[in-house]
Amino acid sequence: MEGFVMEDKHENLSLYVVDELSEQEREEFENHLRTCIHCQQELDFLQETWQALSYDVNEVDVPVSLKSEVMNSIFEEDEIPLKAQVKETKKNSLVERIKVVFTKHFSPLSACVTAFLAIGLIVLFFNNLELKDTITALEKDTFEPTQQIVTTFTLKGKHSAASANGTAYLIQEGSDTSLVVALNHMPSTKNDEVYQVWLLKDGNRQNAGTLRPDQNGNGFISYRLPMDYSFDNIGITLEPNPHNIQPKGQKVMGTS
Amino acid sequence: VESKTDEELMELIVQNHRYALEELYDRYVKLVYSFSLKMTKGDTEKTKVIVQHVFLRLWTTKRTYSSAQGKFANWLLTITRNIAIDLIRKEQKHKGSIQLELDEWRQMKDQQTEDVLQQVSRNLLKQQIQEAKLHLSEPQQRLIDLLYWEGFSLSEIAEIEQEPLGTIKSRLHQTLKKLRNYFKEENGGVRHGR
């Protein structure tokens, strides 16, 4: 019996080394470790053995360009908050500064050219405004300043929804990941019909919500992904009714 | 800079000296890169991402490394392995914070035995571990590969092997013990003297 208990502790020794004990088991084992010289010595050897596994590697040459890639990524990331700060403090005097720059540095001719270009820019800007309004309207509801688009998917319609198209964005905020799907030119739904969004991974489907398009055929849905969930493709089906766990209707849109 | 110890360089990194990070990069990138390449089974793109995360981690780690915690290379590879597993196994989004530091420090062995290790060249150790692995049975070798190099958990390995978790646990213990005995034989004379 005594021997069996000891063997049990010894197994814990290995589990401790490879970090496979639960919090509680680990605490218990660490308590035991304090009083058991045998285990302390054994732990030393086993940890050394576990770490020695790292030597089982054939050294290869490193691409020369990697250093600048790594350093740039580290130090650019580091500087972003700084730049943002600078912008904030200068914001107030921006208009004044533009005036000063204009009067100081521009000849009448270049001022004309600049003004012309500026007008062109403004026209372009207003052309895009409608689109931007839609996007910011969407963003206001679901976006926070630290959110970042990780992946963009293009969605194409087929069959009854051949006219439809759309875009899906995978957005990361801290450790949370959300999927935002915006669709256009969707055929309207009848009765209980809904469009249902599915996330596909290795033949498995995850329900990411249902939607009905508005009278202009625009549809929108946002979905917070479960922790550590990933997927390969997005599919949209036209379902006879909502609340399905598996699709029953036809697939009418997808990423591929 | 070249004459500074790893420990001194880590202190300089805490004080935001970029050149210290670059020096550590020059010293260890080959090791980190080769190790990561094995973990990704030769995927150079993933390997680059891992290397990037490892050095970013060094840069953002506001904690002085102390040689009392063990050999720097071992610590670095423990970090590398954790980051690689996170990336490969997607157990965490690689953008998310990787908070394994405490475990990494705990996994470090004490310095006394480290001094012994430091006297032996890396290549010799590589030869030793490769020879030691030859003494393992096939399931034991597979266990080490799945656990150490592919980052599967023991319960996942039990599923893969279609064996009870208890069997895998005792196999792990037998395997480490076997490897340890082999090392003991190789380095025993030195070690008993400490």
Side-chain angles (χ1 to χ4, degrees):
Chain A
M1 190 65 198
E2 185 62 25
F4 182 77
V5 173
M6 275 303 276
E7 193 50 44
D8 209 39
K9 289 268 188 270
H10 286 176
E11 248 181 56
N12 277 348
L13 211 48
S14 297
L15 297 176
Y16 181 79
V17 169
V18 305
D19 201 24
E20 280 261 5
L21 288 178
S22 70
E23 196 76 30
Q24 198 195 338
E25 287 170 328
R26 193 159 59 205
E27 269 170 37
E28 280 170 19
F29 181 75
E30 279 171 354
N31 281 335
H32 166 76
L33 200 58
R34 267 181 223 118
T35 56
C36 181
I37 294 168
H38 176 78
C39 274
Q40 285 169 16
Q41 287 177 340
E42 194 68 9
L43 180 68
D44 234 22
F45 286 128
L46 288 184
Q47 266 180 338
E48 187 178 317
T49 305
W50 178 245
Q51 285 189 352
L53 289 170
S54 73
Y55 294 103
D56 186 13
V57 166
N58 297 319
E59 294 217 334
V60 293
D61 286 330
V62 182
V64 182
S65 62
L66 186 60
K67 184 172 182 180
S68 59
E69 279 174 44
V70 168
M71 292 302 154
N72 286 344
S73 81
I74 290 173
F75 292 102
E76 267 165 32
E77 211 156 300
D78 221 38
E79 280 160 17
I80 286 167
L82 264 177
K83 280 180 190 161
Q85 272 180 356
V86 172
K87 254 187 193 165
E88 194 125 320
T89 53
K90 285 182 179 173
K91 218 176 184 176
N92 291 338
S93 56
L94 191 65
V95 177
E96 283 158 38
R97 290 172 66 90
I98 289 174
K99 272 187 196 163
V100 172
V101 168
F102 250 84
T103 47
K104 264 192 185 170
H105 298 287
F106 283 66
S107 72
L109 178 63
S110 59
C112 275
V113 172
T114 311
F116 181 74
L117 289 174
I119 289 165
L121 260 177
I122 288 165
V123 170
L124 278 176
F125 175 73
F126 275 99
N127 272 347
N128 276 317
L129 208 56
E130 199 184 337
L131 178 64
K132 277 198 172 165
D133 272 349
T134 323
I135 293 170
T136 42
L138 300 180
E139 282 177 345
K140 258 180 202 158
D141 284 336
T142 49
F143 285 41
E144 301 246 302
T146 50
Q147 294 184 334
Q148 192 188 348
I149 295 179
V150 186
T151 320
T152 307
F153 302 89
T154 306
L155 295 162
K156 285 200 180 85
K158 57 185 178 186
H159 305 302
S160 60
S163 61
N165 58 54
T167 314
Y169 305 94
L170 201 58
I171 291 155
Q172 184 130 35
E173 180 189 12
S175 58
D176 285 337
T177 312
S178 302
L179 180 75
V180 173
V181 183
L183 305 167
N184 305 306
H185 308 299
M186 302 281 286
S188 56
T189 51
K190 302 173 203 89
N191 305 324
D192 283 347
E193 277 183 350
V194 286
Y195 289 104
Q196 187 152 3
V197 181
W198 304 92
L199 305 181
L200 313 174
K201 166 91 179 168
D202 303 330
N204 295 318
R205 293 181 183 82
Q206 164 85 19
N207 177 7
T210 57
L211 66 99
R212 288 197 179 92
D214 67 7
Q215 59 207 28
N216 300 320
N218 296 320
F220 176 80
I221 197 166
S222 76
Y223 172 72
R224 175 160 291 190
L225 264 63
M227 272 303 269
D228 305 333
Y229 183 81
S230 68
F231 62 90
D232 302 321
N233 284 303
I234 302 167
I236 299 175
T237 55
L238 180 61
E239 296 292 321
N241 47 56
H243 317 302
N244 291 322
I245 298 165
Q246 284 296 315
K248 292 182 183 140
Q250 192 185 28
K251 183 179 172 187
V252 292
M253 286 189 86
T255 41
S256 53
Chain B
V1 181
E2 284 81 15
S3 61
K4 293 209 184 308
T5 65
D6 299 334
E7 196 172 353
E8 287 167 334
L9 288 174
M10 279 307 288
E11 267 165 38
L12 287 169
I13 283 177
V14 173
Q15 295 159 30
N16 281 329
H17 289 292
R18 176 176 174 159
Y19 64 85
L21 184 71
E22 298 205 9
E23 174 65 21
L24 278 181
Y25 178 95
D26 291 340
R27 281 185 199 179
Y28 289 106
V29 70
K30 198 177 175 99
L31 185 61
V32 171
Y33 186 87
S34 306
F35 184 88
S36 306
L37 197 66
K38 174 154 183 177
M39 287 210 72
T40 62
K41 296 183 176 171
D43 184 328
T44 50
E45 285 312 307
K46 273 191 193 153
T47 299
K48 283 180 184 175
V49 173
I50 294 168
V51 171
Q52 192 173 316
H53 278 270
V54 169
F55 286 95
L56 177 62
R57 175 75 175 280
L58 282 189
W59 180 247
T60 51
T61 232
K62 293 308 173 204
R63 154 174 222 160
T64 27
Y65 157 81
S66 142
S67 59
Q69 302 284 343
K71 198 176 169 191
F72 183 77
N74 282 342
W75 179 63
L76 193 60
L77 287 185
T78 306
I79 293 175
T80 306
R81 182 170 172 268
N82 286 336
I83 288 176
I85 289 174
D86 283 343
L87 191 85
I88 298 164
R89 311 280 307 127
K90 290 195 172 122
E91 281 172 10
Q92 273 175 304
K93 299 267 183 303
H94 67 271
K95 276 246 167 185
S97 58
I98 298 159
Q99 293 182 330
L100 292 161
E101 255 185 276
L102 271 179
D103 295 329
E104 281 155 12
W105 287 90
R106 185 168 43 227
Q107 282 167 25
M108 294 306 305
K109 31 190 243 60
D110 64 51
Q111 199 193 357
Q112 281 179 306
T113 51
E114 193 52 47
D115 287 337
V116 179
L117 263 186
Q118 267 166 349
Q119 294 162 12
V120 189
S121 81
R122 196 167 178 84
N123 265 340
L124 192 61
L125 278 162
K126 178 181 145 193
Q127 209 182 325
Q128 278 179 16
I129 188 72
Q130 284 175 347
E131 274 167 26
K133 274 180 81 177
L134 293 179
H135 292 250
L136 299 179
S137 71
E138 217 162 281
Q140 286 174 332
Q141 284 195 25
R142 212 160 48 227
L143 175 62
I144 290 297
D145 284 340
L146 289 169
L147 183 68
Y148 191 90
W149 291 107
E150 299 195 38
F152 286 103
S153 70
L154 289 180
S155 41
E156 285 171 319
I157 292 172
E159 233 169 84
I160 292 170
E161 301 281 24
Q162 300 191 322
E163 283 176 302
L165 181 58
T167 309
I168 302 294
K169 282 183 178 174
S170 26
R171 183 175 302 152
L172 170 69
H173 190 60
Q174 295 309 320
T175 309
L176 288 183
K177 243 167 60 181
K178 212 166 176 182
L179 287 175
R180 184 262 284 159
N181 283 340
Y182 189 82
F183 273 114
K184 220 178 186 175
E185 240 168 68
E186 289 287 309
N187 304 322
V190 191
R191 192 143 300 135
H192 285 304
R194 84 176 163 98

